[in-house]
Amino acid sequence: MINLDLTADVVVVGGGPAGTWAALTAAEAGADVLLLDKGYCGTSGPTASGGTGVWYVQPDPEEREKAMASREKLGGFLQDRRWMARVLDQTYENMNRLEAEARYPFPIVDGVPHKRGVQGPEYMRRMRSWIKRAGVRVLDHSPVTELLVDGTGTVAGVRGHRRQHGTGYRVRAGAVVLATGGCAFLSKALGCDVATGDGALFAAEAGAEMSGMEFSTAYAIAPAFTSVTKTAYYGFATFFRGDGTWLEGAGSQGGRSVIAKELLRTGTVLCQIDRATPEQQRQMRLGQPNFFLTFDRLGINPFTEKFPVTLLLEGTVRGTGGIRIIADDCATTVPGLYAAGDAATRELVCGAFTGGGSHNSAWAMSSGTFAGRGAAAFATALGATANRRRLTGVGEAGIQRPFDRTDALDVIRREVHPYDKNYLRTASRLEPALAHLDAVWDGRRGGAVATGGDLPGVRQAAAMVAHARWMYTSALARTESRGMARREEFPRLDPNQYHRLTVGGLDRLWTRPETVTGRELAVAS
Amino acid sequence: MIEVVSTERCVSCDVCIAVCPTNVFEAGPGGIPVIARQSDCQTCFMCEAHCPADALFVAPHTHPVPADSPLRDEEHLAGTGLLGSYRRELGWGRGRKPGARLAVGPELRPAAT
Ligand SMILES: Cc1cc2nc3c(=O)[nH]c(=O)nc-3n(C[C@H](O)[C@H](O)[C@H](O)COP(=O)(O)OP(=O)(O)OC[C@H]3O[C@@H](n4cnc5c(N)ncnc54)[C@H](O)[C@@H]3O)c2cc1C
Ligand code: SF4
Ligand code: SF4
């Protein structure tokens, strides 16, 4: 049942950093913009609750060169130098605008605003008011459930559900930007339960492809049984076995797999942030107050006491895989459809390495800007014909055919969360896991076609299963270890696999190697 | 997870119902929101940050705490200063200086995430 029928030049799906920058840019280009969020634009997504370091680098050629070179090796040299340069330019501009136009209160260090990070709640509440000032209409608690296409397969709108009103809605649009975030598989990592890979599923149903899905093994440290996966300060920590003896090789960077192995073996790893000076401890409290929420409320002093930790799956949130982008305006392979932020692949700036720490946030605001501009231009070019098109929904699992949500959530818990399957990857464990995921996807075993208020949950479950299948299919296709895509049985980098991997399909999946672009500007090292 | 809605402090502004990303709250009797779907709570502390009356408390656990836990005891939370503490650190609320102004952490080691 359609209870609400709307039109817009540009629809932005998702109101995190990528979505809000896309909406702002499209509105400034003159488009009538509607932003739809599953949660609430301003609090939803990991940036809002977590906050982020930002890849903000002065436009000084030497500094920029250093910034681009710094993670290239970690990223298996899959980054695109031209894209890195444009993201650095755009991020620099956006962060300056955030101060000048949204009056973000940056700290002043040595007389100049310090723009290498933002506090999430402050950043995102300002983005919300800024886009509203720019004329963007915002619908919260309105998960999109599928894309609509016209007779030629061009994306021409969305359908969704208003969960606080119990009604459906449909939007006709000139162009759609997917900024739905990555997929963290409902692991309860900080702010991530809204990030269930919905956009990737919608895109694939319209015919789009994914890229870099093997770079999806992000697991983040949190105190056991809690949610705050802020990991920067664990660089100052030492890790111990349950009996208090030193856990050799364990670390936040480079030693997380040691933590995973010990957790698998004994279930307990202890941690103490014992390598920070009193001055650094003081700075940490100011830098990331949310890091201390857990400790203060549990009555733990993390600098002097050992506390148990766990690893929570962050999948493609702090991984890098996502919807494949084929042009500078973040266009996908489907006309009328654009992707930004974690919903899109971040290989162009991160390569095979995590985008956490600074690159993801820079990518989110820059790709959002590119996509917003691209979508507005696409909608303008369509003109009045945009609203005369006949629309068809392309959503499959849970809409055109039954899908079992309970089975899906169960298979995600059993085959995707566990460290021995998704983190310490090997074919002997990936293959059976993928077979289980395929069986649930296949859906012949049961489930139902969902309607009304049940639909978003079912689609979310389908999106996670689709995501995991692309992840494991790509992981199996890359028989080497590059960046975060490690294979236990192929521990080394293989020069013959120097390519990006595109993956696609819904029922039958396929992969295709892709030549690495944008290396001509790289300085030989 | 969200554990406490203080009936005494709540000013019935419905902000928590609007801002919770996972739609945990529902309007309740007498204008006091109820925790309708606690299992959907993602422990993100956003409702607490946005509540103008320091009426909400989110325990750090990703599962409900026992009924007799001090983290469900409003008096204890108010006495220890935990109630409203996140808002204080963010510098949100009238007359406070935004915490963002002070947010300079220590220099990190390279490639931290
Ligand atoms: C704890 C933590 C710390 C991090 N720290 C850093 C850091 O220091 N530096 C860094 O660069 N990166 C960091 N990251 C990564 C960074 O947070 C993300 O890259 C960033 O949030 C991506 O922004 P986004 O706008 O693409 O997606 P999100 O912020 O995930 O926003 C997605 C939005 O889409 C909405 N949505 C989802 N599905 C639908 C749907 N079906 N319909 C409508 N709306 C939908 C969601 O509600 C949400 O509002 C961190 C991540 C975590 C988890
Ligand atoms: S935000 Fe606070 S004051 Fe407002 S309704 Fe919720 S609990 Fe009450
Ligand atoms: S902690 Fe987050 S998810 Fe839980 S009730 Fe508050 S806003 Fe909602």
Side-chain angles (χ1 to χ4, degrees):
Chain A
M1 185 176 43
I2 300 295
N3 306 79
L4 190 60
D5 220 342
L6 302 165
T7 59
D9 296 330
V10 171
V11 159
V12 177
V13 188
T20 48
W21 280 102
L24 181 72
T25 311
E28 287 174 344
D32 171 28
V33 184
L34 178 65
L35 183 145
L36 302 157
D37 200 292
K38 175 198 272 184
Y40 178 86
C41 170
T43 61
S44 204
T47 291
S49 43
T52 50
V54 178
W55 204 30
Y56 178 82
V57 183
Q58 296 298 327
D60 164 74
E62 240 172 77
E63 295 239 341
R64 288 279 169 99
E65 171 54 35
K66 219 170 78 195
M68 291 199 278
S70 72
R71 287 198 194 183
E72 276 190 317
K73 186 154 187 266
L74 288 166
F77 298 96
L78 295 186
Q79 298 92 335
D80 183 311
R81 277 264 169 159
R82 194 176 62 81
W83 273 86
M84 281 201 267
R86 44 196 303 261
V87 164
L88 281 167
D89 282 342
Q90 192 64 55
T91 302
Y92 187 74
E93 183 183 325
N94 288 14
M95 290 297 279
N96 293 343
R97 288 191 69 192
L98 189 63
E99 182 193 23
E101 295 172 60
R103 300 170 53 85
Y104 182 91
F106 285 105
I108 308 292
V109 178
D110 299 331
V112 286
H114 177 86
K115 295 187 186 146
R116 293 211 313 257
V118 282
Q119 227 169 44
E122 191 70 59
Y123 174 31
M124 291 315 299
R125 85 164 167 179
R126 281 172 196 268
M127 288 309 294
R128 181 182 176 95
S129 25
W130 194 4
I131 65 170
K132 288 197 139 184
R133 274 203 309 281
V136 173
R137 286 175 289 156
V138 177
L139 284 187
D140 302 301
H141 297 288
S142 303
V144 165
T145 51
E146 68 174 322
L147 294 177
L148 306 173
V149 300
D150 72 7
T152 67
T154 298
V155 169
V158 300
R159 198 176 273 145
H161 181 76
R162 303 197 73 196
R163 66 182 178 191
Q164 293 192 338
H165 294 75
T167 58
Y169 68 83
R170 183 182 77 165
V171 192
R172 277 179 178 282
V176 173
V177 178
L178 292 172
T180 47
C183 185
F185 298 97
L186 297 179
S187 69
K188 299 231 189 257
L190 190 60
C192 286
D193 274 9
V194 291
T196 49
D198 304 7
L201 174 67
F202 304 158
E205 288 169 338
E209 304 170 336
M210 307 298 134
S211 183
M213 292 302 283
E214 66 277 32
F215 310 122
S216 47
T217 57
Y219 282 82
I221 303 170
F225 308 111
T226 68
S227 65
V228 179
T229 46
K230 300 283 291 179
T231 51
Y233 298 159
Y234 290 109
F236 296 86
T238 307
F239 296 88
F240 307 88
R241 294 188 190 86
D243 63 7
T245 57
W246 179 47
L247 183 57
E248 200 179 339
S252 178
Q253 294 135 37
R256 247 180 242 186
S257 61
V258 176
I259 300 176
K261 284 176 186 157
E262 182 67 12
L263 284 171
L264 280 170
R265 207 171 63 82
T266 67
T268 310
V269 170
L270 303 175
C271 172
Q272 187 178 331
I273 303 174
D274 54 3
R275 293 190 288 139
T277 63
E279 176 57 12
Q280 286 170 326
Q281 296 176 13
R282 197 189 60 82
Q283 291 171 327
M284 286 180 188
R285 275 213 172 258
L286 295 174
Q288 299 184 5
N290 55 0
F291 180 71
F292 293 93
L293 285 172
T294 314
F295 301 116
D296 292 348
R297 288 164 193 221
L298 293 175
I300 292 171
N301 180 337
F303 302 119
T304 60
E305 291 172 58
K306 293 188 177 72
F307 54 92
V309 291
T310 188
L311 293 172
L312 295 181
L313 176 56
E314 290 183 344
T316 53
V317 171
R318 279 201 268 204
T320 54
I323 302 164
R324 183 164 167 253
I325 279 171
I326 57 157
D328 282 4
D329 59 1
C330 290
T332 67
T333 50
V334 181
L337 188 65
Y338 297 77
D342 288 358
T345 179
R346 282 137 285 158
E347 286 163 296
L348 298 166
V349 294
C350 305
F353 190 59
T354 173
S358 60
H359 289 50
N360 267 1
S361 60
W363 170 256
M365 65 175 80
S366 302
S367 62
T369 306
F370 304 149
R373 199 174 294 141
F378 189 91
T380 308
L382 281 178
T385 58
N387 291 338
R388 291 200 292 269
R389 298 179 287 177
R390 227 185 109 85
L391 306 184
T392 329
V394 292
E396 292 176 14
I399 295 179
Q400 291 172 28
R401 66 168 179 90
F403 188 81
D404 195 316
R405 175 168 182 260
T406 312
D407 274 3
L409 297 180
D410 188 53
V411 80
I412 292 297
R413 262 190 306 270
R414 282 188 294 107
E415 309 296 344
V416 187
H417 285 194
Y419 314 137
D420 55 341
K421 292 180 180 166
N422 186 32
Y423 192 14
L424 309 169
R425 287 175 175 174
T426 157
S428 62
R429 293 190 291 263
L430 285 172
E431 278 164 1
L434 182 56
H436 284 120
L437 288 157
D438 286 344
V440 170
W441 179 262
D442 186 32
R444 259 171 289 188
R445 298 192 305 191
V449 169
T451 52
D454 292 337
L455 192 51
V458 170
R459 295 289 285 160
Q460 204 168 278
M464 289 189 286
V465 174
H467 221 78
R469 291 172 68 234
W470 292 316
M471 278 161 48
Y472 287 180
T473 301
S474 299
L476 283 163
R478 194 176 279 286
T479 49
E480 61 161 352
S481 287
R482 187 180 296 268
M484 70 182 337
R486 309 204 66 78
R487 285 278 299 271
E488 297 280 291
E489 71 275 49
F490 303 106
R492 256 172 272 293
L493 192 115
D494 170 9
N496 293 322
Q497 297 189 48
Y498 181 58
H499 48 235
R500 301 194 186 109
L501 268 181
T502 300
V503 62
L506 285 162
D507 296 334
R508 305 186 112 230
L509 307 193
W510 49 264
T511 60
R512 184 182 71 223
E514 217 81 50
T515 307
V516 179
T517 53
R519 299 309 307 171
E520 49 286 342
L521 298 172
V523 177
S525 58
Chain B
M1 282 182 158
I2 177 75
E3 292 291 354
V4 174
V5 182
S6 164
T7 310
E8 219 165 288
R9 293 179 175 220
C10 176
V11 296
S12 300
C13 65
D14 287 355
V15 162
C16 52
I17 300 176
V19 302
C20 171
T22 54
N23 202 29
V24 164
F25 300 97
E26 229 159 66
I32 313 291
V34 293
I35 302 168
R37 287 165 290 270
Q38 193 188 26
S39 61
D40 286 342
C41 174
Q42 58 170 356
T43 318
C44 70
F45 306 93
M46 285 288 103
C47 51
E48 200 186 301
H50 282 266
C51 170
D54 290 344
L56 298 173
F57 184 76
V58 180
H61 309 80
T62 47
H63 53 81
V65 298
D68 60 355
S69 164
L71 297 182
R72 289 184 64 174
D73 176 2
E74 192 180 328
E75 219 171 291
H76 168 82
L77 296 171
T80 51
L82 282 177
L83 204 56
S85 56
Y86 189 27
R87 216 171 144 69
R88 202 162 55 236
E89 305 244 10
L90 289 173
W92 282 13
R94 198 185 294 277
R96 285 178 173 160
K97 178 177 171 154
R101 273 262 183 260
L102 306 169
V104 187
E107 202 56 49
L108 300 177
R109 285 120 215 256
T113 60

